[in-house]
Amino acid sequence: RLFHGQNRLLTSQIISHYDSINQYKKELPEYFNFASNVLDEWTRLEKDGTRPANPAFWWVNDEGEEVKWSFEELGSLSRKAANILSETCGLQRGDKVVAILPRVPEWWIMGVACIRTGIIFIPGTSQLTAKDMLYRLQASKAKCIITNDTLAPAVESVMPDCKFLKSKLIVAKRSRNGWLNLKELL
């Protein structure tokens, strides 16, 4: 009985809270882009001195290798990557990119580049098999794939069945025949 009586009080509190949320009117921008509206704005605020300088990205691998980028550096790298996607790969807003990479800094660069350009970023785990990759490439009708030298042979094995795929970017120290090397292009 005690709980049953309290239940009505909780319900009225929830409804009241819900009503207060619905009454709040936030002006939404007509267009929002995380890369330009947030990342580039934080870069500007840091340059103006109105926001303290903090790393935008800090990555450390198992060997202790470290990559640390400021907001300005991440913005610059993502703009370069956006140019690679749009100019070198010929992608446009709404096109799809499949990224099958382990956790490497280039994954984040390409994610922000896709946000910046309106290209749809489809992440995939590096544990995918060739059959899994084929399914994702066919179902998404992706025009570009980004992977590393370890997974490139699996992609190559399914290429004949991927009629929409036009560009292949590889994240590797060395070039690979038939692939654009992202590190070299950046």
Side-chain angles (χ1 to χ4, degrees):
R1 285 185 178 181
L2 181 63
F3 180 74
H4 183 69
Q6 294 293 329
N7 190 19
R8 291 176 193 249
L9 178 62
L10 291 174
T11 304
S12 66
Q13 288 173 339
I14 291 170
I15 291 170
S16 173
H17 181 66
Y18 179 77
D19 287 340
S20 69
I21 290 171
N22 282 337
Q23 291 172 5
Y24 178 71
K25 302 291 184 215
K26 171 91 172 132
E27 190 175 318
L28 299 174
E30 185 175 353
Y31 300 102
F32 175 80
N33 184 296
F34 176 81
S36 56
N37 292 97
V38 176
L39 185 65
D40 293 349
E41 179 62 15
W42 286 355
T43 298
R44 187 189 65 74
L45 293 172
E46 283 186 0
K47 281 183 176 181
D48 292 350
T50 55
R51 184 179 193 283
N54 286 312
F57 181 83
W58 195 347
W59 175 87
V60 182
N61 69 8
D62 294 338
E63 289 81 40
E65 186 181 357
E66 184 176 279
V67 173
K68 192 187 292 189
W69 295 321
S70 67
F71 285 95
E72 184 175 7
E73 290 167 322
L74 181 57
S76 174
L77 287 167
S78 70
R79 279 188 290 281
K80 287 179 184 179
N83 288 334
I84 292 166
L85 291 173
S86 59
E87 294 171 11
T88 308
C89 298
L91 301 178
Q92 299 175 357
R93 180 181 195 84
D95 287 341
K96 296 170 186 110
V97 170
V98 173
I100 304 173
L101 289 168
R103 290 176 281 181
V104 293
E106 290 80 7
W107 190 96
W108 283 272
I109 293 172
M110 297 312 291
V112 175
C114 285
I115 291 169
R116 192 175 287 285
T117 57
I119 293 170
I120 300 166
F121 184 72
I122 304 170
T125 176
S126 57
Q127 296 175 341
L128 295 175
T129 64
K131 183 179 175 183
D132 298 327
M133 291 177 197
L134 175 62
Y135 172 76
R136 282 161 176 77
L137 289 167
Q138 287 178 336
S140 68
K141 299 177 182 171
K143 291 186 177 180
C144 179
I145 188 164
I146 306 162
T147 193
N148 63 7
D149 50 358
T150 305
L151 299 167
V155 173
E156 289 168 343
S157 73
V158 300
M159 281 295 300
D161 298 320
C162 299
K163 63 180 179 179
F164 296 100
L165 198 59
K166 295 184 179 359
S167 302
K168 301 177 298 184
L169 289 168
I170 192 163
V171 177
K173 292 180 181 170
R174 294 183 305 273
S175 296
R176 184 177 184 95
N177 192 25
W179 291 76
L180 297 169
N181 188 306
L182 184 62
K183 288 182 181 270
E184 290 174 6
L185 292 169
L186 284 173

